[in-house]
Amino acid sequence: MSIKKQFVKTKPVCKVTFSVQAKQAASASVIGDFNDWNLAEGVLSKLKNGTFKATFDLNKDASYEFKYVIDGQFVNEPDADSFKWNDFAGAENSVLSI
């Protein structure tokens, strides 16, 4: 799993690419503050090598809690900028700082 950040000089956004290695999975999404935890808004495309990937434009100077959903299972990003306990979920969420 990995996150790549590409800052856009002409706009107040950062292009964030989420990648998840899940060869056996049928589906993967990224959900979080930036898409109202909506599975349909965070669908990742499966590549031939088994990696799921998508790029989203996120506002700069912000921090977002998120998780991956791989075949219905919630998974944190081990390379996240930090982690934050979420009482609603009863678990930690990954945190992305831009």
Side-chain angles (χ1 to χ4, degrees):
M1 296 184 217
S2 70
I3 299 172
K4 187 195 297 188
K5 301 173 191 175
Q6 181 181 1
F7 291 91
V8 180
K9 291 181 181 177
T10 58
K11 297 179 183 177
V13 298
C14 178
K15 291 187 176 292
V16 180
T17 302
F18 296 91
S19 299
V20 179
Q21 187 73 7
K23 291 182 181 183
Q24 306 303 320
S27 66
S29 294
V30 61
I31 58 173
D33 295 336
F34 53 87
N35 64 9
D36 292 325
W37 300 90
N38 185 331
L39 276 174
E41 303 248 339
V43 173
L44 304 177
S45 300
K46 190 169 187 177
L47 306 178
K48 289 181 181 180
N49 67 1
T51 300
F52 287 85
K53 190 174 189 178
T55 301
F56 300 91
D57 288 350
L58 303 182
N59 291 328
K60 284 192 220 177
D61 301 322
S63 185
Y64 302 97
E65 289 185 43
F66 74 98
K67 279 193 180 284
Y68 295 114
V69 182
I70 303 170
D71 284 348
Q73 299 294 313
F74 292 95
V75 179
N76 274 328
E77 167 63 66
D79 295 329
D81 295 324
S82 63
F83 298 92
K84 183 176 179 184
W85 180 258
N86 181 292
D87 286 331
F88 179 77
E92 282 189 331
N93 287 335
S94 303
V95 176
L96 174 68
S97 299
I98 302 175

